[in-house]
Amino acid sequence: MIRNATPADAAAIAELYAYYVDETVITFEIDPVPAEELARRIGVVQDAGLPWLVTEEDGEVVGFAYAAPYRPRAAYLHSVEVSIYLRHGIQGRGVGGALYRELLTRLRELPVHLALSLIALPNDASVALHERLGFTHAGTFTEVGRKFDRWIDVGHWQLLLSD
């Protein structure tokens, strides 16, 4: 089941996201994000009229995806940055594809022209998911982030959502 996130989902999202913060370079956050902060972030995204979605299995949140404003300047108004995270270990079952397709469907109903995704590299699974959904590689910033005592490249993928 895919639905809009609520502040009540923040604790489950925080738990799911903590794995990526603590164990991977997929996110550049260094410290786990408290549930209260995630509830605030959900509110900011939804107050901007953008979707923050969760997907559930057996009543438990197993993934989330959202779109946030790309940059604050007015010329970027119609571009969003999209992100998706799944509970570690459930990848490869189609959950991420279904969740991301729903996010993109909702974005197409809004005045959103371009979806951008920034992917810490290497991340073959994320690149494959984005490219299956029609995203194209727009470039890579080398050594733009540092985590776990190493430099990390970030690839930029984009998808036009409107003509």
Side-chain angles (χ1 to χ4, degrees):
M1 178 175 88
I2 298 171
R3 61 174 175 77
N4 290 323
T6 71
D9 296 314
I13 291 170
E15 179 185 337
L16 185 158
Y17 188 50
Y19 168 81
Y20 294 96
V21 174
D22 291 338
E23 303 295 330
T24 78
V25 298
I26 290 172
T27 176
F28 281 7
E29 303 223 47
I30 303 296
D31 297 313
V33 181
E36 299 78 20
E37 171 59 16
L38 282 165
R40 186 193 71 75
R41 292 180 188 183
I42 292 167
V44 166
V45 164
Q46 292 175 338
D47 287 349
L50 295 169
W52 186 310
L53 307 176
V54 295
T55 187
E56 294 181 341
E57 287 184 355
D58 301 321
E60 183 179 339
V61 172
V62 296
F64 66 95
Y66 64 93
Y70 176 63
R71 302 262 190 217
R73 293 193 177 101
Y76 293 115
L77 178 63
H78 300 286
S79 296
V80 296
E81 183 178 341
V82 293
S83 295
I84 183 170
Y85 291 89
L86 300 177
R87 180 171 304 285
H88 177 66
I90 72 161
Q91 294 82 355
R93 296 183 11 220
V95 174
L99 180 57
Y100 229 170
R101 280 190 294 280
E102 179 63 22
L103 180 71
L104 296 172
T105 295
R106 292 187 187 200
L107 289 173
R108 286 184 174 101
E109 296 168 357
L110 301 172
V112 174
H113 179 68
L114 182 72
L116 297 148
S117 183
L118 283 59
I119 303 174
L121 300 174
N123 187 336
D124 294 341
S126 187
V127 168
L129 172 62
H130 285 83
E131 291 183 352
R132 268 196 313 276
L133 294 172
F135 283 77
T136 58
H137 185 240
T140 297
F141 292 152
T142 58
E143 298 184 1
V144 71
R146 187 163 178 81
K147 188 172 177 182
F148 302 140
D149 294 322
R150 70 176 226 234
W151 292 108
I152 302 146
D153 298 346
V154 174
H156 292 229
W157 271 258
Q158 64 181 33
L159 177 66
L160 287 172
L161 297 174
S162 68
D163 296 333

